[in-house]
Every structure is written in structure tokens, then in C-alpha cells.
Amino acid sequence: MGSKTLDGEKLNRCVVVAANVPILADSLERTKQNWIAKANSITDLILQVGHSSFHLHKLAMVSRSEYLNRLVFQRGCNRGSAGDNLIIRMKNFPGGAKTFELVAKFCYGWKIDMTASNIAPLYCAAHFLEMSEDLEEGNLISKTEAFLSFLILSSWKDTFRILQSSECVSPWAKDLQIVKHCSEAIAWKAISCENERHLNMQACKSKTSNSGIENKADTWWFEDVSLLRIDHFIEVIQSIRRRGMKPQLVGSCIEHWTRKWLSHVTLGLDNVTPIPITLQLHRISTECLIGTLPTEENSVTCNFLLHLLKVGVMLKINPELLCVLERRIALMLEKCRVCDLLVKNQGDKDSLYDVTVVLRVLRFYVCGISSNPSAKIQTVGRLVDGYLTQVARDENLTMESFKSLVEALPQNARNCDDILYRAIDMYLKAHPDLIEEDRADVCRVLEHHRLSQEGRQHVMKNDRLPLKLATEFVLLEQVNMARSMTNNGSNYQRTHAQTIIRVNKDFEKRQINAQEIKMMSKDVETMKSQLLELNTCKIKLQKQLKRCIW
């Protein structure tokens, strides 16, 4: 078996005929929705399958089908009459009229082609009609079962064709274990190839270490599995997990299927309101996927889980499952990178990245750290600050969303606010139309003592900041300089809280304009130079005094 999909594979087929045919017919002619068996004797049985009618002979059909035998010779609610003909209506016949045409031809002894595309409906139809060996040796159940087993055991590609053809006869295919046998065959082949490739890679490890080739070899089966419907896909995944496939590969396969089938939900391509059944199918699919995710650490990426959480919120899935996702992502935050948090929106009026889904996880994380003494909240603080610098440039990001992200973590999550200040400055630069009150609201979290000296200098020169904040920083810097200078030779004492109170009172007493702030900034620079000279002089005096003592 190759390591990639076998698109050009020749189809397996089987031609079967029935032996000991009681009635011979020349042909089965079709007129609109009617099939009529042409023979020397007239037809005496009408079988209605859906909107189609088959005019056949009782003896030909009851000799192969126990089900029809009972209906013909016993009274039943599905019987009727049309002249000398007996009418039997068969509801929910597996495969419909197309499959029943093959069954009728088999009963008349004509050759029928069995392929991977029709074997599942034909096998289910044979069981529906109870065409077993008890009636006739070589009946349809035994022939379809033999060919079905051959296909499942011998052909990777045909196994998927069987699963896809089983969709139209889903309840029967599940009850007769067609889906289970196909899933186990796929799992066995995927595991076998994966183990074989692992051994080959180990043998060739000394010759080459191309991880790209190894990853491609590990995931060769993803594309075929991603063609399956959700219920068949889940069955395959469960079979693969039972056989011991690596959790990382299982998680990657689920991600591959999800991005393919739910892409129009995650990427916002539903421009037209979908019909309710489509939304319901997406909701059920998402809930099934969450329940199937491997629980091992690093088996799925944080970014994929965020996308899945976004879809779950949009589709309003079970709140308990949303909580499961939020908790799992929150536990991964301390090992995440900024790129792991980037979940794109696609609407023209939406922000570039979906920040609401990240905000949900952050709030969940903050609620959980109170009961977790080993939480590395400062690591998450650095992660969030980096994320803020990524989203701050977005012109469509609302002030409420940005503020919520800034305030999501407690104050002890940051030792220094320099990166946070840079993110706020980037946001103000990308939103020049914000009024003074809004800019002040965004900058409310910034505090003088939590910024580095370089950060404070930048604040005092930044004309994008609200005037009140810049003024407070300049005044506080003046007070600090004055305190540093006087403390070198006086008993000047003032607490930080007293300083802030004084600055605020000074600010309320007078309105300071931008020109005054510039002058005050120059005074601060002058005071710094004087303080530096004073410290230099102090060091020289200390050295001279030391030499005199010695």
C-alpha cells in the first residue's frame, strides 16, 4: 500500500448470477417510474419502492426472499390488489429503486455487477428481504457478504467507497456492522503503515533527519479520512485510538477534518442564512468532535481549540462542552505563544482577530488561579501583553474590547508595564479619532511607578496620550528628582501616596497646556543633570575621605 491516496486505483468488481432460477425473463424494461419483467407468462406481483413500481413474478421473488414469501402468502397491512396482481408497498427499502433493480435482476438469474459503490446498499437490501441460504444455496446475502469482506480486507480505497455508499443506508449499515468493519480495517492499515514507517525512519535516522518528510509520511491517511461524514469519521477515530495511534496524530487528524468541514463556520463564509438543519448538523458535529478529542497533553494545539471554541459559541452548543474547552485552553496558556492566540475574523466590519474568544479563556483562567498556588500568572501576563501588541494595530478593534483585554488579568500579573504601555500607545496611534475622555479611559491602568525610566521618558514626550496623564507623569518625575536631590543632604521625607495626592491637587488647581508640559520636561532633564553631577561629586568626596583615613 502506498503512502498517499490512490486516486488512479482500478475499481474492484464482481459479477454474480443466481442458480436454479424458477422463471426466466427476457428483460426488465423501464417506462418512466415502472419496471416490467418481459417473459412468456404475465406478471402477477407489483412491488412499490418509493415512487417506482416493479411488475414482476411472484415465484421468481418469493423463491429468493423470505420477507416477500411471508407477505405474498399471508395477509398484511402493506398489501393491495390491482386486478390479478398483488401489490406490496415496501417502505424504507435500503438503497431505493436503484438497488432493488439489481435485486430483481438477481432473482431472475441475470448478471449483476457488484462494486465498492453499490455493495453496501445491496448487502443491506439482501438482509431486508431475508435472502439467506435457508431458501437457496448461493443466495444474495452470502454472495454480497463474501465480496464485501474481500473489498474491506484487500483495498484501502474501496473501504472508503463502501463507507461513503453506506451513508444512504446508514441505520442498516450500522446495525449490520458495515461501518464498524470498515473503520477497524482503516485503523489496522493506518497503524500498520505508521509502525512500518516508524521502523524505517529509525533505520534511516543516521542518513537523513528530514522532519518534513516524516510528518508527511505520518499524515498520508488524513485526506482520505477527512472525506467521511461525521458519524463515520468518529467511528474511524475511535477505532484508531483503540489500536494505539499516537494522540498527536489523532488530534491532528481531527483538526484536519474540522478545518475542512467546518471552514465556512470558522472563516465566517455563511453570507446567506443557512437552513436550520444545516445549523443543527454543525452543532451536533462540533459537540461530537469535542467529545472525541484526545485528552493527552499536547495532543491538540491551543489555536485549534480556540477555533473550536469560537465555532461552539457561534452555534450555541452545550454550555458544559464550552466549559470543557475553556478549561482545557486555560490550562495551556502558560505554555502558549502569541501566535497560538490569533483567531482570525473574516467580516469587513469585524476586527482582524477574534478577541472575545481569548477574553473568555482569560477570565476562566483568572477564576481558576485562586485555587492553584502553582499558577505562573506572570508568564500569562507576558503572553497577554504580547497579544495586545498584535491586536492593537487593528483599526476595527473597539475600545471596549481592547480595555477588557487590558484589564482581564490582575495587577500582580505584570512586574513592569512597559509592554502594556507600548500596546496602548499602538492602539492610540491606530485610533487617532478617540476623544480625550476615551483616551484617558484606555490609559487609566498606567501608573508611574510601574514603568521603567525609559518608559516614563517616552510618556512625557508622547502627544498621543491624554494631557492629564502626561502632566501627572511630569509632575511625579519632578517630585522624584527633587526628593532624590534633597535626600542627599537633607531630611526631606514624603511617601508615594502623599506625592500622588499633591500632584492631583496641583493639577486640579490649574490647567496646564502642552507648552507648559514641555517646559516642565526640560526642568526634569535639568534636575537629572544636576542630580548626576551631585552624585559624581559625592563619590569623589567619599574617595578622598577614604584616602585621608588610611
Side-chain angles (χ1 to χ4, degrees), residues 288-331:
C288 289
L289 289 171
I290 296 173
T292 311
L293 290 172
T295 57
E296 290 82 357
E297 187 177 1
N298 300 324
S299 57
V300 286
T301 65
C302 176
N303 188 261
F304 169 61
L305 291 178
L306 282 170
H307 276 89
L308 205 55
L309 178 60
K310 176 182 178 180
V311 174
V313 172
M314 292 172 62
L315 297 176
K316 299 179 181 179
I317 67 171
N318 189 321
E320 293 183 2
L321 290 177
L322 287 179
C323 186
V324 169
L325 279 180
E326 290 171 351
R327 181 178 184 277
R328 183 163 184 176
I329 300 170
L331 293 175

Side-chain angles (χ1 to χ4, degrees), residues 70-84:
R70 288 197 307 272
L71 292 181
V72 168
F73 296 108
Q74 299 174 13
R75 289 188 176 272
C77 59
N78 289 331
R79 297 179 60 196
S81 63
D84 294 331

Side-chain angles (χ1 to χ4, degrees), residues 457 477-478 481-482 485 518-534:
Q457 293 299 314
E477 197 70 14
Q478 282 185 333
M481 291 298 101
M485 294 179 68
K518 290 183 180 179
M519 294 177 61
M520 293 166 65
S521 298
K522 289 182 180 179
D523 291 341
V524 170
E525 294 297 329
T526 301
M527 293 172 69
K528 281 185 179 179
S529 299
Q530 292 174 354
L531 181 61
L532 180 62
E533 291 177 2
L534 184 61

Side-chain angles (χ1 to χ4, degrees), residues 449-467:
H449 69 283
R450 294 179 62 84
L451 288 175
S452 65
Q453 186 62 38
E454 183 181 356
R456 296 171 190 169
Q457 293 299 314
H458 194 278
V459 169
M460 291 188 293
K461 298 176 183 178
N462 191 346
D463 56 2
R464 286 187 290 272
L465 299 179
L467 186 61

